[in-house]
Amino acid sequence: MKIRQIDVWQKDLPIQGPAYKMALQTLTELDTTLVRITTDTGLQGWGEVCPLGPAYQPQHAAGARAAIGEIAPHLLGENPLHTERINHRMHQALCGSLYAKSAIDMACWDISGKAYNSRVCDLLGGAVRETIPSYYAIGLSSPEDAANVAVKKQAEGYCRLQLKVGGRALEEDIACVKKVAEVLTAGTALAVDANRGLNVNDAIQLSAACRDIPFIFEQPCQTYEQCLHLRGKLHHPLWLDEVIDDLNALLRAVRDNAAEGFGMKQSRIGGISQMRTAREICAVAGLPMTCDDSWGGDLVAASCVHLGATVTGNLFAGSWIAAPYIDGHYDSQNPVVINNGVLKVPAGAGLGVIPDSALLGTPAMSLSL
Ligand code: 0XW
Ligand code: MG
């Protein structure tokens, strides 16, 4: 089997409802990239990457498409079933830009599933669950509004909530955590995620002020070193997210006993192939993880669900997807949706999502043999 053609689309994803507010970013729309790989057998696979705006991390939508344009000529004629070789060829063609490479990697896993008539999760060792818990991220808001969202989302069936803090007066963050904690029902887990928006002092103070409230403290400070400085100074388990920007960073964090868990975004570390390795690292270290991504539509969502389905036992903390903020689906027959706070593993071969390319318009880029 050989890659015969690579098509790339740009698609706007306006945020439905209020802006998505985090400590350092407020977003009203996203710019995603869809990739379709067509093989000489006629099989097609899809991938997607959607940075969380141009300023969240060193990733941006136009950069993804430019990187894919740099890489694609080196992949024509390659066998998409050989994902290790595909990743090797991508690294030979372009240093870095793991986020862009993740879309190609995803499309190759989609093709593999279709070639072997297997779901991606079954190619990844098999699903240990057929429905996986999602979680809802409560954006930066007043204590009352945050608590109201927490009540509403628990009523919708979510068993894990993530409360955004940071980028504002510490007192407001503390008031928010306390107000949300008042409305949590038994069995609802809370993560307090600063998305790097707190300084070391404020992180210590927030944890101390809320020491009687059980929550996971996610990525409080900007850098790995600042978070490392917090070890032994917090009253809460520390999870890392944004600073785990590749597999080496994950290995270093495990070696340094830097965290009790990880908020993992598949595109940041290079895609499904790398997230499979991250899953194994976390498993041998006994450290829980989420299977998330920065943003994206049904393709990114399906990929997160397939990965989340394979994380064993009590090491899986859920998969966040952007579906609640997106109007419509790429594949109306196989939408990836959250019901009662959980996601079903797509049934079809590969990712189980086949975008209607007629809805995508003219590709931004097409390369072929
Ligand atoms: C909640 N997320 C997975 C979605 C947004 O991309 C931010 C991210 C996080 O946990 O930081
Ligand atoms: Mg996070």
Side-chain angles (χ1 to χ4, degrees):
M1 183 184 291
K2 292 180 180 177
I3 293 176
R4 179 168 54 81
Q5 182 161 324
I6 298 174
D7 297 295
V8 181
W9 285 267
Q10 182 278 337
K11 179 176 175 54
D12 290 333
L13 292 179
I15 290 181
Q16 302 301 301
Y20 188 79
K21 286 188 176 181
M22 305 189 296
L24 306 177
Q25 274 86 29
T26 296
L27 297 132
T28 56
E29 75 166 358
L30 281 305
D31 175 345
T32 196
T33 296
L34 284 80
V35 172
R36 182 183 66 192
I37 294 179
T38 303
T39 70
D40 57 350
T41 68
L43 270 184
Q44 293 184 324
W46 288 84
E48 181 183 13
V49 61
C50 186
L52 191 54
Y56 170 64
Q57 295 213 265
Q59 311 160 4
H60 64 111
R65 293 186 282 272
I68 291 167
E70 185 70 33
I71 293 164
H74 300 267
L75 300 180
L76 297 176
E78 290 292 335
N79 185 337
L81 303 180
H82 299 165
T83 49
E84 288 305 303
R85 175 166 170 78
I86 290 291
N87 276 273
H88 177 68
R89 291 290 289 145
M90 288 199 285
H91 300 328
Q92 280 182 317
L94 179 70
C95 179
S97 293
L98 293 178
Y99 70 111
K101 294 168 179 175
S102 72
I104 299 281
D105 180 75
M106 188 189 299
C108 290
W109 277 97
D110 191 25
I111 289 171
S112 297
K114 291 167 179 173
Y116 301 126
N117 192 28
S118 295
R119 303 176 302 176
V120 165
C121 58
D122 296 319
L123 295 180
L124 292 170
V128 298
R129 56 185 68 84
E130 289 298 324
T131 58
I132 72 165
S134 187
Y135 66 92
Y136 189 84
I138 303 171
L140 276 185
S141 49
S142 69
E144 294 71 24
D145 288 350
N148 289 338
V149 173
V151 169
K152 180 170 183 289
K153 293 305 170 183
Q154 289 177 101
E156 290 177 13
Y158 287 90
C159 292
R160 186 178 193 262
L161 298 175
Q162 182 191 76
L163 176 64
K164 298 297 189 184
V165 296
R168 61 182 178 182
L170 179 63
E171 294 68 31
E172 198 161 359
D173 284 338
I174 292 170
C176 249
V177 173
K178 290 184 174 178
K179 193 73 176 173
V180 166
E182 288 173 10
V183 301
L184 293 185
T185 55
T188 299
L190 179 64
V192 172
D193 187 5
N195 294 105
R196 301 161 295 172
L198 296 172
N199 63 42
V200 168
N201 184 62
D202 286 354
I204 292 170
Q205 287 199 55
L206 189 155
S207 180
C210 304
R211 70 181 66 194
D212 298 331
I213 300 170
F215 60 77
I216 288 164
F217 207 172
E218 184 174 334
Q219 196 64 53
C221 299
Q222 181 74 28
T223 69
Y224 177 78
E225 291 72 18
Q226 289 169 8
C227 291
L228 212 50
H229 179 83
L230 294 175
R231 302 302 274 157
K233 300 182 178 71
L234 299 177
H235 298 269
H236 299 90
L238 173 66
W239 281 38
L240 294 176
D241 181 341
E242 286 84 355
V243 295
I244 306 300
D245 51 13
D246 64 14
L247 289 175
N248 275 314
L250 179 60
L251 283 173
R252 180 183 62 170
V254 170
R255 182 199 65 215
D256 295 348
N257 186 29
E260 277 72 45
F262 299 95
M264 292 301 296
K265 297 188 177 76
Q266 62 180 6
S267 61
R268 184 168 65 221
I269 63 170
I272 293 172
S273 297
Q274 284 69 18
M275 274 291 267
R276 173 184 54 180
T277 305
R279 178 194 69 189
E280 296 313 294
I281 292 168
C282 287
V284 295
L287 293 173
M289 63 185 282
T290 62
C291 292
D292 303 330
D293 210 339
S294 45
W295 207 270
D298 287 333
L299 291 166
V300 165
S303 182
C304 293
V305 176
H306 281 286
L307 282 157
T310 67
V311 178
T312 53
N314 59 0
L315 294 184
F316 180 57
S319 281
W320 178 93
I321 66 169
Y325 305 91
I326 296 174
D327 179 19
H329 291 278
Y330 299 161
D331 175 353
S332 57
Q333 302 304 309
N334 301 287
V336 183
V337 291
I338 301 166
N339 286 310
N340 300 319
V342 299
L343 289 147
K344 286 183 71 174
V345 178
L351 291 168
V353 169
I354 303 175
D356 179 354
S357 56
L359 298 178
L360 295 174
T362 306
M365 190 188 329
S366 292
L367 300 97
S368 59
L369 276 176

